[in-house]
Structures are given as structure tokens and as C-alpha cells.
Amino acid sequence: SNRASTSGASIGPSTLPATARCSDATWRASSSSAASAGSTFASEVAAGKGHDIVEFIDPPSDFEPSVMDLTDLNQEAVKRFGKQGFRPGDVVISNHQAVAGQHLNNVVIYMPYFHEGELLMFAICRAHWIDVGGSSTGFGSGPVADPWLEGLQLDQLKIYRGGELNEPLYRLIRDNIRFPESSLGDMKSQMAACRLAIQIGRASCRE
């Protein structure tokens, strides 16, 4: 079943078209060809306790489900920040291989959603950025000796705190990638997809 409930609010199978809409929003708003290409993004709504509500991958991936699953991200988020460590308007960025099981170009953006003051779920969107630093652009840096040669490693960092941009982190990312307009434009499209998921979740909770 795709149904999960917390705090009296339910998100059911009808959420699947919603996650598809979020992936479509990422595709339409993306700034680079890499994030626009099919099979390069996934959207997920995950319950605050760490289990999936529903995930949408466009198109269905040939990767192992354990690789594509995004649940470990919000589990690690709660471990890192605690359930009280999130506020409305927080935006977290992560691409760390130890968590997402991906190469560093696959960057995850996620946001918390609160229902009646309690952390209910996360809206999560992963997209392939054209560049994250490292020795080359595109779909990875080829054979490398370690992840540090592949590019920037961002491990569960808040790029927005309570709706306020984390300027030092933003500048660090911008100044260490080759095409900041494209990659940071993709980040904004992922944020838009997460906001759409939260809007849909809010409407579903009211129902």
C-alpha cells in the first residue's frame, strides 16, 4: 500500500500523480540539459518517521530499488537535526554517496512539511546536475581514485534556514562549480517541485 498516516493526516495512493507533477515541474523549470533529460530525476513524499509514502521516478529506473530509494535521506536528516531541528522554510541539500548511494552529480533537495505544528513528512527531489566541481562535467568524472576528485560533497546542509538563504553555503557552491547558472537554476527548479508537493500535501491533509 502507498498509504501512511501520522498525526491524523493521511496521504493515499492519489499522491502518486502529485509526485509525477513534481517531477514534471522539475523538468519544465530546469536550467540544464542534464536535469531536463528523462531518467535524471525522482520525486518522493516520505513520512517524518522515515518510511516512504510514495515515490515517482521518470522513467522507471533500471537501478536497484535500494539505490533509487530516497528514504535513507530523511532518516539521516532526523538523526542529524532531530525532529525539532526543522522549521518551515528550511531547505536541505545533499549529494553524499554514503547516504544517497549515488554519484555526486545526483543532488537531492528536500523540505519538511508540518501539519498542526508537527513534522509530518518531507518533500524530496533528486536531479542530475551538469557539474558539481571535480575533474570533469556531465555524468561523472570517470575513473577517479576517491570521491573527493569527483566534486563537492554536500552532506545534509541547510541551503535555506527558515526561508532565509544560507549565503556562505550558496557562495561556496557557486564558486566551486563550472556552470553555476545551470546547476543553481536546477536547484531552484527542485525547490519549486518540493513546494508543489507541500502544497498538494497541505490540500490532502485538509481533505
Side-chain angles (χ1 to χ4, degrees):
S1 171
N2 286 329
R3 183 175 296 276
S5 63
T6 308
S7 304
S10 298
I11 309 294
S14 61
T15 312
L16 182 58
T19 52
R21 286 169 58 190
C22 295
S23 287
D24 182 65
T26 308
W27 177 78
R28 291 178 182 276
S30 61
S31 298
S32 71
S33 58
S36 301
S39 77
T40 59
F41 47 77
S43 296
E44 179 168 314
V45 177
K49 292 184 178 179
H51 52 277
D52 292 81
I53 294 176
V54 65
E55 180 175 16
F56 180 83
I57 303 169
D58 185 21
S61 173
D62 292 331
F63 289 109
E64 291 292 331
S66 60
V67 174
M68 297 305 298
D69 186 17
L70 298 173
T71 305
D72 55 346
L73 279 159
N74 63 295
Q75 291 174 336
E76 289 296 321
V78 173
K79 289 180 184 177
R80 167 90 38 113
F81 300 106
K83 289 196 70 173
Q84 305 305 316
F86 293 97
R87 293 184 294 164
D90 283 352
V91 180
V92 185
I93 185 170
S94 188
N95 69 343
H96 201 276
Q97 294 172 330
V99 177
Q102 298 274 307
H103 69 158
L104 299 183
N105 291 74
N106 284 350
V107 179
V108 175
I109 295 291
Y110 65 91
M111 299 179 182
Y113 170 65
F114 295 85
H115 177 70
E116 297 181 350
E118 182 178 351
L119 177 62
L120 175 64
M121 63 185 184
F122 295 92
I124 309 173
C125 183
R126 178 167 56 202
H128 184 102
W129 287 17
I130 192 171
D131 184 57
V132 289
S135 60
S136 68
T137 61
F139 286 81
S141 298
V144 293
D146 55 52
W148 289 269
L149 292 173
E150 193 175 355
L152 286 172
Q153 296 187 77
L154 307 168
D155 187 8
Q156 308 275 357
L157 301 174
K158 290 188 180 182
I159 189 72
Y160 281 81
R161 299 190 184 107
E164 296 293 326
L165 178 65
N166 183 344
E167 287 279 1
L169 177 57
Y170 186 87
R171 290 198 305 269
L172 184 147
I173 297 172
R174 181 194 64 197
D175 294 345
N176 286 279
I177 55 180
R178 296 174 181 85
F179 305 106
E181 298 85 1
S182 292
S183 293
L184 294 173
D186 290 342
M187 181 187 75
K188 292 174 183 177
S189 73
Q190 291 171 263
M191 289 172 56
C194 290
R195 290 193 186 100
L196 176 59
I198 287 173
Q199 290 173 8
I200 296 168
R202 187 175 292 117
S204 297
C205 288
R206 285 198 297 266
E207 294 173 1

